[in-house]
Amino acid sequence: MPKRQFTEEFKKKTIKNMIRCKLTTKEAAQKAKVTETAIGYWEDRYYYEAMKELADEKRQRKRSAAQKDNRKSVWHQVNSIAGYWR
């Protein structure tokens, strides 16, 4: 049977899902249909990079939520002072 090769993107995604869902190495291996050894290697190689990407995603979600809140508050503020805007 030929050796399967996985892209870097797949490996990173698997490790990110492992971190995000708080999976064990065994659970992540079963979910991705790879060996536990492979997950261990990938974790050694991509763990910190995946953690950084997850933190960046979280920061971006917070920032976009804050911007949405700011837009709503400005809109209500304008409506309450000037009435309806046409």
Side-chain angles (χ1 to χ4, degrees), residues 51-82:
M51 287 294 288
K52 183 181 181 300
E53 288 177 11
L54 287 170
D56 290 345
E57 289 172 11
K58 185 177 181 180
R59 199 174 303 115
Q60 189 175 9
R61 281 194 305 273
K62 273 186 171 179
R63 195 174 296 138
S64 67
Q67 287 175 348
K68 286 179 185 177
D69 290 343
N70 286 343
R71 277 189 244 141
K72 288 178 185 175
S73 63
V74 169
W75 176 254
H76 292 296
Q77 205 172 31
V78 169
N79 281 339
S80 66
I81 294 171

Side-chain angles (χ1 to χ4, degrees), residues 3-35:
K3 184 177 177 180
R4 295 186 299 169
Q5 293 195 355
F6 300 97
T7 62
E8 240 183 78
E9 182 182 343
F10 176 79
K11 295 173 187 179
K12 286 180 190 176
K13 186 178 177 183
T14 302
I15 298 304
K16 281 171 69 172
N17 286 336
M18 182 178 147
I19 295 166
R20 188 181 294 128
C21 299
K22 297 181 175 129
L23 300 174
T24 63
T25 304
K26 185 175 184 175
E27 293 169 334
Q30 289 172 346
K31 196 169 186 176
K33 296 182 175 102
V34 297
T35 64

